């Protein structure tokens, strides 16, 4: 007997049948916290950025963290720690290019969950520089290790925004400049799936300023 058919011997008058009124909506409000940091000027040593690191690490999934960038770059270790904390953060991190982002600052820009570029801005990529000390063989070993390390960082963060040939030129010592128009074009073709370091639900979003 079909489930929807009443039994013949069932008393039709037993109880009151409440007609179906449709689905009910249950709603809860979750507070959204928005935090902004302005990374302006040269990147200093990591100890100056511990508040930013802590904010990224302790943020919740409903938080929005904005990183406004206008920097010539600077300390490689600081930049890497910022990038790694962006990757580990539960928050949605929006990187905003407001003027220039050179060297390590350019890599920070590319590491955001959402990228926003204003008109009249510029990125610049180049290889690392540093001072090495110790015996000759120790310096050679350190240079080789740092070179391999830097190449991995460049390819993981900058591809596919930069092509393999462009990354190769940078690793050989070339400076590579990209203006707002070129940045927008490259970001528009960048697949969201290229960023797999965060949960699948968090997709990379590109926003381009269209104001004149």
């Amino acid at each position: 007997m079909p489930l929807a058919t009443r039994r013949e011997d069932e008393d039709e008058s037993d109880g009151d049948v409440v007609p179906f009124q449709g689905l009910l909506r249950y709603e809860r409000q979750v507070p959204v916290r928005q935090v902004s940091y302005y990374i302006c000027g040269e990147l200093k040593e990591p100890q100056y950025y511990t508040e930013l690191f802590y904010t990224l690490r302790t943020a919740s999934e409903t938080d929005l963290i904005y990183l406004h960038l206008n920097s010539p770059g600077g300390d490689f270790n600081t930049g890497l720690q910022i990038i790694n904390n962006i990757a580990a953060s539960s928050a949605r991190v929006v990187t905003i290019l407001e003027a220039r982002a050179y060297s390590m600052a350019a890599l920070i820009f590319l590491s955001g969950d959402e990228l926003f570029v204003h008109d009249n801005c510029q990125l610049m990529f180049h290889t690392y520089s540093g001072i090495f000390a110790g015996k000759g063989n120790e310096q050679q070993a350190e240079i080789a290790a740092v070179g391999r390390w830097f190449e991995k960082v460049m390819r993981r963060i900058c591809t596919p925004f930069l092509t393999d040939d462009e990354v190769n030129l940078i690793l050989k010592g070339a400076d590579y400049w990209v203006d707002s128009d070129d940045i927008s074009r490259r970001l528009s073709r960048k697949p969201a799936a290229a960023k797999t370091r965060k949960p699948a639900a968090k997709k990379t979003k590109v926003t381009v300023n269209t104001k004149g």
Side-chain angles (χ1 to χ4, degrees), residues 156-208:
R156 286 173 179 168
I157 296 175
C158 298
T159 304
F161 181 84
L162 298 176
T163 67
D164 288 337
D165 289 340
E166 290 166 344
V167 173
N168 289 336
L169 288 174
I170 293 168
L171 294 173
K172 291 178 181 179
D175 292 346
Y176 203 83
W177 305 81
V178 190
D179 63 18
S180 288
D181 294 335
D182 197 10
I183 295 168
S184 300
R185 177 179 59 82
R186 289 169 182 262
L187 291 179
S188 65
R189 75 185 185 199
K190 181 178 180 181
K195 287 198 162 189
T196 57
R197 52 184 176 73
K198 285 205 170 184
K202 300 189 71 177
K203 300 296 185 181
T204 304
K205 181 179 179 181
V206 175
T207 306
V208 179

Side-chain angles (χ1 to χ4, degrees), residues 49-186:
Y49 300 83
T50 54
E51 181 177 296
L52 170 59
F53 302 150
Y54 180 79
T55 300
L56 289 167
R57 286 282 181 172
T58 58
S60 68
E61 293 181 355
T62 60
D63 290 340
L64 285 170
I65 299 177
Y66 297 92
L67 301 183
H68 302 261
L69 293 166
N70 180 15
S71 170
D75 193 285
F76 181 65
N77 294 318
T78 298
L80 276 185
Q81 193 167 2
I82 292 174
I83 290 169
N84 289 337
N85 277 274
I86 291 174
S89 181
S90 297
R92 184 161 192 84
V93 181
V94 182
T95 51
I96 304 171
L97 183 59
E98 298 197 335
R100 61 175 178 170
Y102 297 168
S103 188
M104 203 64 222
L107 273 62
I108 293 174
F109 171 70
L110 293 181
S111 299
D113 299 310
E114 182 175 344
L115 313 179
F116 186 98
V117 55
H118 288 278
D119 293 333
N120 310 312
C121 294
Q122 196 173 55
L123 296 176
M124 190 273 284
F125 303 87
H126 65 184
T127 191
Y128 68 94
S129 60
I131 299 174
F132 302 92
K135 300 189 294 292
N137 63 307
E138 294 172 342
Q139 292 185 42
Q140 291 175 2
E142 185 176 1
I143 291 171
V146 171
R148 292 191 298 269
W149 180 25
F150 181 80
E151 180 177 356
K152 288 183 178 180
V153 171
M154 282 292 296
R155 295 196 186 280
R156 286 173 179 168
I157 296 175
C158 298
T159 304
F161 181 84
L162 298 176
T163 67
D164 288 337
D165 289 340
E166 290 166 344
V167 173
N168 289 336
L169 288 174
I170 293 168
L171 294 173
K172 291 178 181 179
D175 292 346
Y176 203 83
W177 305 81
V178 190
D179 63 18
S180 288
D181 294 335
D182 197 10
I183 295 168
S184 300
R185 177 179 59 82
R186 289 169 182 262

